[in-house]
Amino acid sequence: MSTQAAPLGQVLRSERIKFTTLRSLWLPPLIAVLLTVGFGTAVGAAVGGEDDSLLRDPGVGIHYGLNFGQAALVCFGILLIGQEFNSGMIGVSLAAVPLRGRLYAGKLALGALVALAAGLAGTAGSFAGYAAFVPGDWDGPAAVRSAAAGVLYPVLMVVLCFGLTAVLRNLTAAMGLLVPTVFLLSPLLSGVPGVRYAVQFLPDQAGQYALRYADNPEIAYGHWTGLLIMALWAAAAAYAGLRTLRRRDA
């Protein structure tokens, strides 16, 4: 079989080998799980049943650690393809897999699967750790939706960062743009009255609303719609990254 005709499964297998042998790739998802579970459990242990604000919306406490864990997820999504652009190895990868869409799909699939595993582990650990200290409803419709959003949020964040990094074609630029936007700009703008309405449609803000139990009358959409908004952002970024990789030289 020619290299050009290599099936997606073979490309995915080569990406898996690369993932397991490069510390820079497998370490961020592991850190994301540890931070997500660790901070979620710590918050549960600290507040117990005393903090009424968390009891009114347990999703705030359960997923508190995700605010820290997503830093590692952002880095993982960027590193998946950004380090190949910075090192020049993208040319080697394209020589091995000349079909750019197939190479892109293999990297994206690997990143999504790893993020899904991190989401499952992080969400399960956060629910278990928080519930060990705080009484509440852990099997109602809101809990099920919040858990589903907790599993999918890391996947969508990784896909979003992967796609935007492919558009920027530069690891440093992606880190410099995405990390401050997610952790500084978006939270700060959400407190500015003049732009607060528009900020709620940013991907991280919409996705985090899906984690909550309670409705917020100031939000213009429902919880599931928030997850859908984040998914649309991620899909648009992934498509833009694919178009960039196909149209520009390595």
Side-chain angles (χ1 to χ4, degrees):
M1 179 180 294
S2 67
T3 304
Q4 185 170 351
L8 179 60
Q10 184 175 329
V11 177
L12 184 57
R13 185 160 51 251
S14 67
E15 292 298 325
R16 177 184 59 80
I17 294 172
K18 186 184 301 181
F19 168 78
T20 56
T21 54
L22 290 177
R23 184 183 301 177
S24 60
L25 288 182
W26 61 257
L27 197 56
L30 177 60
I31 293 175
V33 173
L34 294 176
L35 289 175
T36 299
V37 176
F39 276 98
T41 303
V43 167
V47 304
E50 303 300 324
D51 192 329
D52 290 340
S53 66
L54 294 183
L55 291 177
R56 284 196 297 270
D57 194 337
V60 175
I62 294 168
H63 298 290
Y64 188 83
L66 189 57
N67 293 313
F68 303 91
Q70 71 173 340
L73 293 171
V74 169
C75 292
F76 174 60
I78 294 172
L79 287 168
L80 272 171
I81 193 169
Q83 64 180 1
E84 292 203 24
F85 279 116
N86 270 37
S87 65
M89 288 299 295
I90 189 67
V92 177
S93 296
L94 290 173
V97 186
L99 296 179
R100 297 187 176 209
R102 190 166 296 180
L103 176 67
Y104 187 87
K107 289 181 177 295
L108 184 59
L110 184 280
L113 288 172
V114 172
L116 179 62
L120 285 167
T123 300
S126 295
F127 266 85
Y130 191 79
F133 298 99
V134 181
D137 176 16
W138 309 118
D139 58 1
V144 172
R145 175 188 34 78
S146 180
V151 172
L152 294 176
Y153 184 94
V155 179
L156 297 176
M157 180 59 72
V158 167
V159 171
L160 176 73
C161 294
F162 177 88
L164 291 178
T165 304
V167 172
L168 294 171
R169 298 163 55 85
N170 186 288
L171 177 106
T172 306
M175 287 286 189
L177 174 65
L178 295 177
V179 174
T181 297
V182 173
F183 299 105
L184 294 176
L185 185 61
S186 181
L188 287 175
L189 290 178
S190 64
V192 179
V195 297
R196 185 180 300 166
Y197 182 83
V199 171
Q200 67 181 303
F201 292 97
L202 292 177
D204 59 312
Q205 295 293 314
Q208 288 177 19
Y209 183 60
L211 303 172
R212 307 293 184 249
Y213 277 41
D215 295 329
N216 184 346
E218 296 183 358
I219 302 297
Y221 47 78
H223 297 283
W224 283 117
T225 304
L227 198 63
L228 176 60
I229 291 171
M230 187 179 187
L232 291 174
W233 276 98
Y239 177 73
L242 176 60
R243 292 274 293 178
T244 302
L245 184 65
R246 280 178 167 170
R247 295 165 71 98
R248 296 183 61 183
D249 292 336

